[in-house]
Amino acid sequence: MLDSVRVRLTLWYTAVLTLVLIVLSLITYFIFWRSTLRRTDVNLSELSEAFLTTLNAELKDQSGPVSLKLAGQVAITEHRFRDHVFAIVDAAGKIVVSSQDVPTAGSATGSLSGGPLSSSSFQRFLDSAFRSERFFGEVTGGQDGYRGFARHFSSSGKTYTLVILQSLHPQQEMLEEVTSTFAWVIPIAIVLASVGGYFLARKSLAPVVAMSSQAGRIGAANLHERLAVQNDRDELGHLARSFNSLLDRLSQSFERQQRFMADASHELRTPVAILRGEAEVALSQQARSPEEYRESLGVLHQEAERLTHIVEDLFTLTRADAGQYPLQPRDFYLDELVGECVHSARTLAFAKKISLNFEEASESPIHADESLVRRMILNLLDNAIKYTSEGGRVTVACRRAGQEYVLSIMDTGGGIPAELQPRIFERFFRADKARSRAEHDGGGAGLGLSISRWIAEAHHGRLELTHSDSVGSTFTAYLPAGPSPSAASG
Ligand code: ADP
């Protein structure tokens, strides 16, 4: 049960609410208690003023303890309320006059025999009262005890202490009422709030539950389905949008992957079919001359090489996509590497009577993966020669521009149609499939430029088709000359 967010939220909410209500009630109780006590003290203090005024008025023409007793009785009669006890005590602690000496209606002997004035706590109260001018304290007795106030006054040259006790019973009753109100209001509030909280949590989490079951239904077969966004502006809407954009990216990459697989198998099928056909033809004929066998084996070898080439390219791209192609950078001179590549491409160019020129460059130290950069240059040179007709010209130039090397390969081929130029770096893309396969033996599968661009980007550089029209094309690679890349990425 605790595994449910709804229940956990409700429990947390209820626990916090209970704590808040308890703290709030304690504070309210304390404030209430303090203010009633303060009111009692003010009341006692004012009563003492009034009592002494009456007492002094009675004493005006008389003197001696007897008359103090009489005057006290008059003042008590005048100021006594139901729950007050008065006493005048002399310096020795003896009670001169008290409410006990003044009978109340319905009680001939007075109402306080055995009352608070004879308790030991009253004695302790008096002891403390003698030590200060005005004193407030507690005295036990009665139903809930008394709040006592004592102050000194003089009469006939002697010091007396006036003590007034006020029963705490009414205040206590009020506080008990407050407590009992809290005792039933708080549990009801908690129950109502937790039930409300549970329904609120359920309602708020309902879209999440719906989203998770919807998400659970999405698989490879229906990757195009999306979660419904109920409120675009709230957190759940944000979650749904994030999830949907994740699905967008997933389905794009899934589609790319599927296209890649389809293209790859298509590309592999052709050489495999040629291999099979050629082998079948060779085997079907009973007697063949050694030349004919050599010729068949030559075709098989060529197609096997082509197959190897495609598989290697595919493997490179797959590892690059997964970010698992480890770069092995080292220091070398780019101009020297370009020179070597131009040199090894000369045979190809010579076969097509193409003049291949390398405009000598100044020293170009670079820190990069030499074999990958070599592969990129050879790809570009191979294309330039492949797509340039006999007697044409291919020019290679390498120069430094600021923090990068600019390597350009220009040819005088037929160029790439403008509408196809944006697509030539796509995998398996060939501007003219028939031509690229028929005219050029061992023609690529349309992966060379994708790999070359990846190589440039893995070195934090770029590869662009900077120019192409009917009289030729120029591919330019930009490689950083400064601090170089440390590891490969996709
Ligand atoms: P391929 O193996 O077919 O050469 P690439 O990825 O190297 O594959 O090139 C993709 C396509 O771009 C080629 O099929 C070709 O149509 C076009 N292309 C590349 N380089 C040139 C070039 N120098 N001149 C004309 N077309 C080119």
Side-chain angles (χ1 to χ4, degrees):
M1 191 166 110
L2 283 181
D3 289 339
S4 151
V5 175
R6 263 187 313 231
V7 174
R8 279 211 305 274
L9 267 181
T10 311
L11 286 181
W12 268 107
Y13 171 68
T14 311
V16 171
L17 185 78
T18 309
L19 194 74
V20 168
L21 284 178
I22 288 174
V23 170
L24 211 67
S25 338
L26 287 177
I27 292 173
T28 312
Y29 184 89
F30 176 71
I31 291 173
F32 201 68
W33 169 78
R34 229 180 43 174
S35 81
T36 50
L37 199 66
R38 203 171 289 159
R39 237 186 6 250
T40 308
D41 287 355
V42 170
N43 189 24
L44 284 171
S45 174
E46 283 171 3
L47 194 58
S48 77
E49 293 290 338
F51 186 92
L52 286 180
T53 309
T54 312
L55 190 76
N56 284 333
E58 289 298 318
L59 285 172
K60 215 168 234 173
D61 300 322
Q62 299 162 56
S63 62
V66 178
S67 54
L68 178 64
K69 185 169 179 163
L70 282 174
Q73 285 178 347
V74 173
I76 288 169
T77 314
E78 196 166 313
H79 294 286
R80 178 158 68 184
F81 298 107
R82 191 169 49 84
D83 49 2
H84 283 105
V85 175
F86 293 85
I88 293 173
V89 182
D90 66 13
K94 197 166 153 288
I95 296 174
V96 178
V97 63
S98 74
S99 311
Q100 225 166 328
D101 307 320
V102 184
T104 50
S107 164
T109 56
S111 59
L112 292 156
S113 51
L117 299 184
S118 52
S119 69
S120 59
S121 79
F122 182 69
Q123 277 313 313
R124 281 198 299 279
F125 172 84
L126 272 187
D127 291 344
S128 308
F130 284 145
R131 286 197 290 272
S132 50
E133 188 58 33
R134 297 160 76 88
F135 178 73
F136 289 99
E138 309 291 329
V139 175
T140 56
Q143 274 178 296
D144 292 301
Y146 293 85
R147 179 73 175 166
F149 173 61
R151 63 181 288 186
H152 305 302
F153 70 95
S154 308
S155 175
S156 312
K158 286 186 182 169
T159 302
Y160 296 94
T161 305
L162 167 66
V163 177
I164 308 176
L165 305 181
Q166 184 177 335
S167 168
L168 289 175
H169 184 58
Q171 283 93 323
Q172 206 55 42
E173 263 183 347
M174 214 143 63
L175 286 173
E176 270 167 23
E177 214 166 292
V178 171
T179 316
S180 65
T181 309
F182 281 148
W184 64 265
V185 166
I186 291 177
I188 289 180
I190 289 171
V191 170
L192 285 180
S194 46
V195 171
Y198 179 77
F199 281 108
L200 211 68
R202 215 168 82 150
K203 197 166 154 31
S204 321
L205 291 174
V208 178
V209 177
M211 265 159 60
S212 77
S213 66
Q214 225 178 332
R217 285 195 297 273
I218 296 176
N222 56 348
L223 206 54
H224 58 277
E225 277 188 28
R226 295 291 174 267
L227 297 185
V229 183
Q230 284 174 358
N231 184 350
D232 208 23
R233 289 183 300 277
D234 69 4
E235 290 84 348
L236 294 177
H238 188 72
L239 177 68
R241 268 187 292 125
S242 306
F243 191 80
N244 283 345
S245 74
L246 172 72
L247 284 177
D248 284 344
R249 291 195 299 276
L250 268 181
S251 97
Q252 274 167 18
S253 109
F254 193 63
E255 266 172 34
R256 252 202 323 268
Q257 210 67 25
Q258 276 183 324
R259 210 172 43 234
F260 185 71
M261 292 294 287
D263 288 343
S265 43
H266 179 78
E267 285 304 322
L268 292 174
R269 225 175 21 226
T270 317
V272 170
I274 296 174
L275 278 176
R276 240 183 53 199
E278 195 60 38
E280 275 167 12
V281 169
L283 290 171
S284 65
Q285 293 170 359
Q286 291 293 328
R288 291 186 91 191
S289 65
E291 286 72 36
E292 282 173 322
Y293 278 120
R294 281 190 77 81
E295 201 179 313
S296 289
L297 282 174
V299 173
L300 293 179
H301 179 247
Q302 202 177 41
E303 283 309 308
E305 256 190 357
R306 187 172 140 73
L307 205 57
T308 312
H309 195 66
I310 295 175
V311 169
E312 267 172 11
D313 281 356
L314 284 175
F315 189 54
T316 303
L317 280 174
T318 317
R319 287 214 294 169
D321 282 348
Q324 284 171 354
Y325 199 106
L327 289 198
Q328 286 163 346
R330 66 176 200 86
D331 293 323
F332 63 93
Y333 288 96
L334 183 62
D335 53 309
E336 282 180 10
L337 179 69
V338 179
E340 281 172 31
C341 293
V342 169
H343 189 77
S344 50
R346 274 197 201 288
T347 335
L348 267 180
F350 185 74
K352 284 185 77 178
K353 299 188 182 66
I354 289 173
S355 78
L356 179 56
N357 304 304
F358 175 34
E359 296 173 355
E360 284 302 325
S362 52
E363 268 190 0
S364 314
I366 191 171
H367 186 78
D369 187 316
E370 191 181 1
S371 71
L372 284 180
V373 176
R374 181 192 301 273
R375 193 165 167 184
M376 177 184 79
I377 300 169
L378 284 177
N379 267 343
L380 296 173
L381 275 175
D382 185 52
N383 278 351
I385 295 167
K386 206 156 66 174
Y387 300 108
T388 300
S389 351
E390 285 202 4
R393 198 174 63 249
V394 173
T395 313
V396 182
C398 179
R399 63 186 171 86
R400 185 176 178 137
Q403 286 302 302
E404 57 190 8
Y405 293 120
V406 182
L407 171 67
S408 45
I409 289 135
M410 294 156 272
D411 62 54
T412 55
I416 303 155
E419 69 278 9
L420 299 181
Q421 288 178 15
R423 299 192 54 201
I424 52 161
F425 291 98
E426 283 176 21
R427 290 169 189 192
F428 299 106
F429 182 79
R430 288 190 304 245
D432 181 347
K433 294 189 190 203
R435 195 184 70 142
S436 99
R437 188 178 291 287
E439 275 185 17
H440 317 282
D441 273 354
L447 293 173
L449 285 181
S450 314
I451 293 177
S452 301
R453 177 167 263 188
W454 166 73
I455 292 171
E457 285 171 359
H459 285 86
H460 305 297
R462 57 196 195 282
L463 172 65
E464 290 168 2
L465 169 64
T466 36
H467 166 85
S468 186
D469 58 22
S470 56
V471 291
S473 310
T474 304
F475 282 87
T476 309
Y478 303 85
L479 294 173
S484 53
S486 50
S489 58

